[in-house]
Tab-separated table of all heavy atoms in Angstrom:
chain	number	residue	atom	x	y	z
A	28	MET	N	55.927	65.781	50.074
A	28	MET	CA	55.032	66.887	50.319
A	28	MET	C	53.648	66.381	50.709
A	28	MET	O	53.002	66.990	51.550
A	28	MET	CB	54.934	67.784	49.086
A	28	MET	CG	56.133	68.674	48.862
A	28	MET	SD	56.030	69.733	47.393
A	28	MET	CE	54.553	70.638	47.644
A	29	ALA	N	53.212	65.297	50.088
A	29	ALA	CA	51.887	64.765	50.392
A	29	ALA	C	51.811	64.300	51.844
A	29	ALA	O	50.816	64.554	52.535
A	29	ALA	CB	51.546	63.632	49.440
A	30	ALA	N	52.863	63.641	52.322
A	30	ALA	CA	52.878	63.171	53.712
A	30	ALA	C	52.861	64.351	54.679
A	30	ALA	O	52.170	64.324	55.700
A	30	ALA	CB	54.112	62.306	53.959
A	31	PHE	N	53.594	65.404	54.364
A	31	PHE	CA	53.628	66.590	55.208
A	31	PHE	C	52.274	67.293	55.187
A	31	PHE	O	51.786	67.748	56.225
A	31	PHE	CB	54.744	67.535	54.747
A	31	PHE	CG	55.009	68.667	55.696
A	31	PHE	CD1	55.585	68.428	56.935
A	31	PHE	CD2	54.705	69.963	55.346
A	31	PHE	CE1	55.834	69.471	57.816
A	31	PHE	CE2	54.961	71.013	56.217
A	31	PHE	CZ	55.528	70.768	57.455
A	32	ALA	N	51.624	67.368	54.016
A	32	ALA	CA	50.295	67.979	53.913
A	32	ALA	C	49.277	67.184	54.719
A	32	ALA	O	48.436	67.768	55.418
A	32	ALA	CB	49.859	68.068	52.455
A	33	ASP	N	49.358	65.854	54.649
A	33	ASP	CA	48.453	65.018	55.435
A	33	ASP	C	48.652	65.241	56.927
A	33	ASP	O	47.691	65.322	57.693
A	33	ASP	CB	48.661	63.539	55.104
A	33	ASP	CG	48.168	63.174	53.722
A	33	ASP	OD1	47.380	63.945	53.141
A	33	ASP	OD2	48.572	62.102	53.222
A	34	GLU	N	49.905	65.351	57.326
A	34	GLU	CA	50.210	65.587	58.742
A	34	GLU	C	49.694	66.949	59.192
A	34	GLU	O	49.129	67.077	60.276
A	34	GLU	CB	51.717	65.489	58.956
A	34	GLU	CG	52.129	65.587	60.399
A	34	GLU	CD	53.630	65.441	60.564
A	34	GLU	OE1	54.179	64.425	60.105
A	34	GLU	OE2	54.233	66.348	61.151
A	35	MET	N	49.877	67.969	58.350
A	35	MET	CA	49.377	69.302	58.680
A	35	MET	C	47.851	69.288	58.782
A	35	MET	O	47.278	69.934	59.668
A	35	MET	CB	49.823	70.321	57.619
A	35	MET	CG	51.268	70.726	57.720
A	35	MET	SD	51.848	71.788	56.358
A	35	MET	CE	50.579	72.993	56.188
A	36	THR	N	47.180	68.566	57.891
A	36	THR	CA	45.724	68.456	57.921
A	36	THR	C	45.273	67.781	59.203
A	36	THR	O	44.322	68.216	59.854
A	36	THR	CB	45.217	67.665	56.695
A	36	THR	OG1	45.598	68.363	55.515
A	36	THR	CG2	43.713	67.496	56.726
A	37	TRP	N	45.974	66.711	59.577
A	37	TRP	CA	45.627	65.984	60.787
A	37	TRP	C	45.801	66.860	62.029
A	37	TRP	O	44.953	66.863	62.923
A	37	TRP	CB	46.497	64.731	60.889
A	37	TRP	CG	46.228	63.925	62.115
A	37	TRP	CD1	45.197	63.051	62.322
A	37	TRP	CD2	46.993	63.932	63.316
A	37	TRP	NE1	45.295	62.506	63.576
A	37	TRP	CE2	46.393	63.035	64.217
A	37	TRP	CE3	48.144	64.601	63.720
A	37	TRP	CZ2	46.882	62.796	65.487
A	37	TRP	CZ3	48.635	64.359	64.985
A	37	TRP	CH2	48.006	63.466	65.848
A	38	ARG	N	46.896	67.631	62.076
A	38	ARG	CA	47.170	68.465	63.253
A	38	ARG	C	46.228	69.649	63.369
A	38	ARG	O	45.821	70.011	64.457
A	38	ARG	CB	48.611	68.974	63.221
A	38	ARG	CG	49.597	67.972	63.754
A	38	ARG	CD	50.954	68.566	63.951
A	38	ARG	NE	51.594	68.684	62.648
A	38	ARG	CZ	52.498	69.601	62.329
A	38	ARG	NH1	52.882	70.476	63.198
A	38	ARG	NH2	53.018	69.625	61.130
A	48	VAL	N	51.951	73.665	51.854
A	48	VAL	CA	53.224	73.038	52.233
A	48	VAL	C	54.385	73.943	51.843
A	48	VAL	O	55.311	74.162	52.636
A	48	VAL	CB	53.376	71.648	51.586
A	48	VAL	CG1	54.772	71.086	51.819
A	48	VAL	CG2	52.326	70.689	52.121
A	68	ARG	N	62.868	65.872	59.192
A	68	ARG	CA	62.405	64.562	59.632
A	68	ARG	C	61.879	63.766	58.443
A	68	ARG	O	62.055	62.568	58.359
A	68	ARG	CB	61.312	64.755	60.682
A	68	ARG	CG	60.654	63.516	61.176
A	68	ARG	CD	59.603	63.828	62.227
A	68	ARG	NE	58.678	64.897	61.890
A	68	ARG	CZ	57.679	64.792	60.999
A	68	ARG	NH1	57.483	63.687	60.363
A	68	ARG	NH2	56.887	65.813	60.772
A	69	LEU	N	61.238	64.426	57.514
A	69	LEU	CA	60.745	63.766	56.301
A	69	LEU	C	61.809	63.889	55.216
A	69	LEU	O	62.083	64.995	54.737
A	69	LEU	CB	59.441	64.418	55.829
A	69	LEU	CG	58.240	64.247	56.758
A	69	LEU	CD1	57.081	65.116	56.298
A	69	LEU	CD2	57.822	62.797	56.813
A	72	LEU	N	61.849	66.465	51.860
A	72	LEU	CA	60.769	67.457	51.851
A	72	LEU	C	61.236	68.799	51.295
A	72	LEU	O	60.603	69.355	50.399
A	72	LEU	CB	60.193	67.643	53.262
A	72	LEU	CG	59.126	68.737	53.396
A	72	LEU	CD1	57.899	68.402	52.555
A	72	LEU	CD2	58.742	68.937	54.849
A	75	GLU	N	61.934	68.523	47.563
A	75	GLU	CA	60.707	68.426	46.762
A	75	GLU	C	59.991	69.770	46.675
A	75	GLU	O	59.500	70.149	45.606
A	75	GLU	CB	59.773	67.370	47.358
A	75	GLU	CG	58.586	67.072	46.471
A	75	GLU	CD	57.724	65.939	46.980
A	75	GLU	OE1	58.034	65.335	48.021
A	75	GLU	OE2	56.711	65.663	46.327
Side-chain angles (χ1 to χ4, degrees):
M28 284 180 57
F31 190 69
D33 289 343
E34 185 178 304
M35 284 174 46
T36 299
W37 179 79
R38 277 191 283 151
V48 172
R68 176 179 48 74
L69 294 171
L72 176 63
E75 189 175 359

